[in-house]
């Protein structure tokens, strides 16, 4: 009986030790990844590609078994200025040490500009920003059998505004392979490889092979745009943005790229912005280069052809 009890206690202690050790190692790895980011930022700042910024945090909590990782007290600091933005909490799912998970999620809760930055802004803009922290949610899923990547992004400003974006990409294998190789490296190897010409060349080639297949954009406004308009109008630098409504109406009325039904829905949302949903499903996947080249303009010459090729649908309010 005593031997059984001792064995059970020992097994529990071993399981508890394994639980805390694995979580501790995951926390160390996340901290090292942030160090890699900060090193990359510092290198780009030296080259004049971006300001000297640094990510700081107060704590990391990892639960490997539940696939849940949290960073608290996250701040973005700029050299010579101090903290310019802060996040209440950042959560990760799908993080696997040494490999790239086929699905994951990044959630940013209560992203705000710091009081220091708000003091530099006009009072009306500072007040609106103080009342409107951002919530961001990014999700992805890789389908290796179809070589497709599904991306979802949600931006929410309190209960006043929500933007949802969904995209389906193809030709992802090269980019996915590069990501897997990076994930398998230790921190020094990641730093060295990410700054090499070979990495830059492979990354450029991987992005060139991506294709756009379908997507959906949904904007729900619950008064935020109405609050934003007078704030923009009160400042000379943004007054032109506040007067963009008639310009949008004029463009929608004159453009030849949409059918009359789509035009009516767009004008309905512009006149009374509540909810608008745009979705598309291309007849054939297109690379970014094909989208930018203008070749579609030669192939599609009528609104009906554009709508048929893109599968464009617009719903308003």
């Amino acid at each position: 009986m005593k031997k059984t009890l001792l064995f059970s206690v020992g097994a529990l202690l071993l399981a508890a030790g394994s639980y805390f050790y694995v979580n501790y190692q995951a926390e160390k790895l996340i901290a090292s990844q942030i160090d890699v980011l900060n090193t990359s930022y510092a290198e780009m700042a030296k080259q004049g590609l971006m300001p000297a910024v640094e990510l700081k945090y107060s704590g990391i909590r990892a639960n490997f078994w539940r696939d849940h990782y949290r960073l608290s007290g996250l701040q973005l600091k700029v050299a010579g200025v101090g903290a310019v933005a802060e996040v209440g909490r950042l959560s990760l799912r799908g993080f696997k040490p040494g490999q790239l998970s086929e699905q994951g999620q990044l959630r940013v809760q209560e992203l705000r500009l710091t009081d220091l930055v708000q003091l530099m802004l006009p009072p009306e803009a500072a007040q609106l920003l103080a009342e409107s922290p951002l919530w961001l949610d990014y999700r992805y899923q890789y389908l290796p059998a179809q070589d497709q990547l599904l991306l979802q992004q949600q931006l929410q400003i309190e209960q006043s505004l929500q933007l949802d974006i969904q995209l389906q990409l193809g030709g992802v294998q090269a980019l996915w392979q590069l990501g897997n190789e990076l994930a398998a490296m230790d921190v020094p190897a990641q730093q060295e490889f990410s700054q090499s010409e070979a990495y830059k060349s492979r990354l450029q080639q991987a992005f060139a092979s991506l294709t756009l297949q379908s997507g959906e954009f949904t904007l729900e406004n619950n008064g935020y745009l109405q609050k934003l308009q007078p704030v923009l109008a009160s400042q000379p630098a943004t007054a032109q943005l506040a007067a963009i409504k008639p310009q949008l109406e004029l463009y929608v009325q004159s453009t030849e790229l949409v059918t009359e039904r789509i035009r009516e829905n767009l004008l309905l949302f512009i006149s009374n912005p509540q909810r608008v949903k745009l979705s598309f499903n291309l007849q054939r996947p297109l690379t970014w280069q094909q989208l930018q080249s203008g070749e579609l303009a030669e192939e599609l010459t009528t609104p009906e052809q554009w709508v048929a090729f893109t599968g464009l649908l617009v719903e308003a309010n």
Side-chain angles (χ1 to χ4, degrees):
M1 181 69 178
K2 290 183 178 180
K3 290 183 178 180
T4 302
L5 180 60
L6 288 173
F7 177 79
S8 299
V9 172
L12 286 172
L13 290 174
L14 180 61
S18 298
Y19 174 85
F20 288 111
Y21 177 77
V22 171
N23 287 342
Y24 170 71
Q25 291 298 323
E27 290 168 3
K28 281 182 61 178
L29 184 57
I30 293 173
S32 68
Q33 295 298 319
I34 295 176
D35 289 339
V36 171
L37 281 176
N38 284 331
T39 300
S40 299
Y41 293 157
E43 183 63 30
M44 287 189 285
K46 287 180 182 178
Q47 298 174 14
L49 300 176
M50 63 180 292
V53 300
E54 182 182 17
L55 289 174
K56 304 289 287 186
Y57 58 91
S58 60
I60 299 176
R61 294 290 300 275
N63 191 324
F64 177 81
W65 311 104
R66 291 189 176 182
D67 185 24
H68 193 200
Y69 309 87
R70 295 177 296 175
L71 280 81
S72 56
L74 189 66
Q75 291 185 329
L76 178 66
K77 292 193 170 184
V78 177
V81 177
V84 297
E86 53 193 16
V87 173
R89 178 179 294 176
L90 185 148
S91 304
L92 289 167
R93 291 189 181 275
F95 176 77
K96 293 185 178 180
Q99 60 179 304
L100 190 59
S101 174
E102 291 184 354
Q103 59 182 354
Q105 178 185 15
L106 170 66
R107 176 173 291 176
V108 178
Q109 300 177 358
E110 295 194 20
L111 170 62
R112 300 174 183 268
L113 295 179
T114 60
D115 293 342
L116 174 65
V117 176
Q118 292 182 29
L119 287 173
M120 303 177 186
L121 299 173
E124 298 87 353
Q127 182 178 352
L128 182 60
L129 289 171
E131 297 171 351
S132 312
L134 297 181
W135 295 63
L136 300 167
D137 193 313
Y138 301 92
R139 303 183 186 207
Y140 75 87
Q141 182 178 7
Y142 178 53
L143 307 174
Q146 295 87 3
D147 192 24
Q148 292 179 342
L149 182 64
L150 309 180
L151 300 175
Q152 292 180 290
Q153 175 185 328
Q154 182 183 93
L155 180 151
Q156 187 173 338
I157 304 177
E158 286 297 326
Q159 303 300 317
S160 301
L161 187 77
Q162 182 169 311
L163 173 64
D164 292 280
I165 301 174
Q166 298 182 39
L167 294 175
Q168 181 173 312
L169 306 178
V172 188
Q173 186 174 7
L175 184 63
W176 198 258
Q177 178 61 32
L178 182 59
N180 263 320
E181 292 177 20
L182 271 174
M185 297 177 184
D186 58 24
V187 173
Q190 282 184 356
Q191 291 177 329
E192 181 179 357
F193 181 55
S194 63
Q195 296 171 12
S196 68
E197 290 301 321
Y199 170 78
K200 295 175 184 177
S201 176
R202 286 186 60 185
L203 186 63
Q204 185 176 10
Q205 292 174 8
F207 274 112
S209 66
L210 289 177
T211 60
L212 180 63
Q213 299 179 343
S214 63
E216 184 176 293
F217 302 80
T218 304
L219 178 65
E220 295 189 30
N221 172 52
N222 190 25
Y224 184 79
L225 295 179
Q226 287 81 351
K227 289 191 292 185
L228 180 62
Q229 197 274 339
V231 173
L232 295 175
S234 66
Q235 302 302 315
T238 56
Q240 192 171 7
L241 289 175
I244 200 171
K245 180 178 177 179
Q247 299 174 31
L248 284 175
E249 289 178 334
L250 180 61
Y251 174 78
V252 172
Q253 289 170 349
S254 60
T255 183
E256 298 179 354
L257 298 179
V258 297
T259 60
E260 192 59 35
R261 178 58 181 162
I262 292 176
R263 192 191 319 277
E264 290 174 358
N265 277 283
L266 290 174
L267 290 172
L268 175 62
F269 175 77
I270 294 171
S271 64
N272 182 24
Q274 297 180 23
R275 181 181 185 274
V276 65
K277 177 180 176 181
L278 294 86
S279 61
F280 65 90
N281 189 4
L282 303 182
Q283 285 185 349
R284 66 173 185 273
L286 296 175
T287 65
W288 302 115
Q289 184 176 1
Q290 289 173 318
L291 287 169
Q292 297 170 1
S293 67
E295 64 181 68
L296 284 180
E298 300 178 1
E299 177 183 344
L300 310 173
T301 57
T302 68
E304 290 74 19
Q305 288 176 329
W306 275 100
V307 172
F309 179 83
T310 60
L312 181 64
L313 293 174
V314 178
E315 303 172 14
N317 297 350

